[in-house]
Amino acid sequence: MPPKKKKGKGKGKKKGKKKDDASLELEDKYKKTVDEIQALKDHLSVRKEIVRRGQAISNDWRQKVEAAQQELLEQKVDQKSINSDMTRQYKTMQTEMGLRIHQLETELGKTRQQLVHTEEQLKQTRQEKEQMMKDKDEEIENLKRTITNMEVDYGKILDESLDNLISKIDMAKERWEEQATLVHSKNKQVLLEFGLNPLDI
């Protein structure tokens, strides 16, 4: 009889050990799932940092556009001032020529050449300024398009990152629930084999 009792105690210890191993395995799987979720959170944090940097770059480009617009405005003001000054000089020259025409007949040809040269410079200056303003307008439009594209791209990146994170969390949750259910069923079966009711424990 005593040897039988010892044998029974040995079996009980073995079964208890299996139960402990199953619990440890479930706990390890749970910790692994928690670690995976933490890794996904870290990944999302990195994505958020990328988006933040993208927004900073977008703000920087926006400031550059504003500076370019301000520079263009100043150039327009300068152009107006140059045109006004050159027009005033031209009118002054014409007035002086009218007053001194009888004294400057010998220099009339030279003065006419100078006048033609001044008009060509004025025309060339106007053309250069118009081309410069056109180039600036095109540059501003390109910058605006670049900013818009960057905002759309970073918005897509953020949306994709969030969708991927949610999908991975859902998958991890489903795996954990399936494993937990399986372990629970095995433990319940073991308890039933020992004649124990799981609801009583």
Side-chain angles (χ1 to χ4, degrees):
M1 293 299 292
K4 290 184 179 179
K5 289 182 180 180
K6 288 182 180 179
K7 189 175 181 181
K9 288 181 180 180
K11 288 184 178 180
K13 288 182 179 180
K14 190 173 181 181
K15 295 294 183 176
K17 186 176 180 182
K18 288 184 178 180
K19 180 179 178 181
D20 291 341
D21 290 342
S23 298
L24 288 174
E25 183 180 356
L26 176 60
E27 183 177 353
D28 289 340
K29 290 181 179 180
Y30 175 75
K31 288 181 178 179
K32 184 178 179 181
T33 302
V34 170
D35 291 340
E36 289 177 354
I37 292 174
Q38 184 61 42
L40 291 174
K41 288 181 178 179
D42 294 340
H43 183 68
L44 178 60
S45 178
V46 171
R47 288 291 187 177
K48 286 183 178 178
E49 178 62 20
I50 292 173
V51 172
R52 185 192 67 76
R53 291 180 182 178
Q55 289 174 344
I57 293 172
S58 177
N59 291 334
D60 183 58
W61 278 107
R62 188 176 289 106
Q63 290 176 359
K64 288 182 180 179
V65 170
E66 292 175 357
Q69 290 176 335
Q70 181 63 30
E71 182 181 354
L72 180 60
L73 179 61
E74 291 174 358
Q75 288 181 354
K76 287 181 179 179
V77 172
D78 291 342
Q79 174 65 26
K80 185 177 180 181
S81 177
I82 290 171
N83 290 342
S84 177
D85 184 65
M86 293 187 73
T87 301
R88 179 185 60 78
Q89 290 180 11
Y90 180 75
K91 289 182 179 179
T92 300
M93 185 180 64
Q94 281 188 323
T95 301
E96 290 176 354
M97 285 176 61
L99 293 175
R100 299 176 59 193
I101 186 103
H102 63 285
Q103 298 175 354
L104 302 175
E105 290 178 351
T106 56
E107 299 180 4
L108 182 60
K110 183 179 179 180
T111 303
R112 284 177 178 172
Q113 290 179 358
Q114 184 178 357
L115 177 61
V116 169
H117 181 66
T118 302
E119 289 177 338
E120 288 177 353
Q121 285 184 331
L122 177 61
K123 181 179 179 181
Q124 184 178 358
T125 301
R126 286 176 176 171
Q127 290 176 347
E128 290 175 355
K129 291 296 181 182
E130 288 174 358
Q131 184 62 39
M132 186 180 296
M133 288 188 290
K134 182 179 179 181
D135 292 341
K136 288 291 182 182
D137 289 337
E138 290 178 357
E139 183 180 357
I140 290 171
E141 289 300 321
N142 289 334
L143 289 173
K144 287 181 178 178
R145 284 194 294 269
T146 300
I147 291 172
T148 300
N149 292 336
M150 289 177 66
E151 290 175 346
V152 171
D153 290 340
Y154 283 114
K156 288 181 179 178
I157 289 173
L158 180 59
D159 290 340
E160 290 175 0
S161 297
L162 291 174
D163 290 341
N164 289 336
L165 177 61
I166 291 171
S167 177
K168 289 181 179 179
I169 289 174
D170 289 339
M171 290 174 62
K173 180 181 177 183
E174 289 177 2
R175 288 199 305 269
W176 183 83
E177 288 178 349
E178 288 174 0
Q179 293 173 356
T181 301
L182 182 61
V183 171
H184 180 71
S185 297
K186 288 182 178 179
N187 290 340
K188 182 178 178 181
Q189 184 63 35
V190 169
L191 291 173
L192 289 174
E193 288 176 1
F194 280 97
L196 298 176
N197 188 351
L199 299 177
D200 296 336
I201 297 175

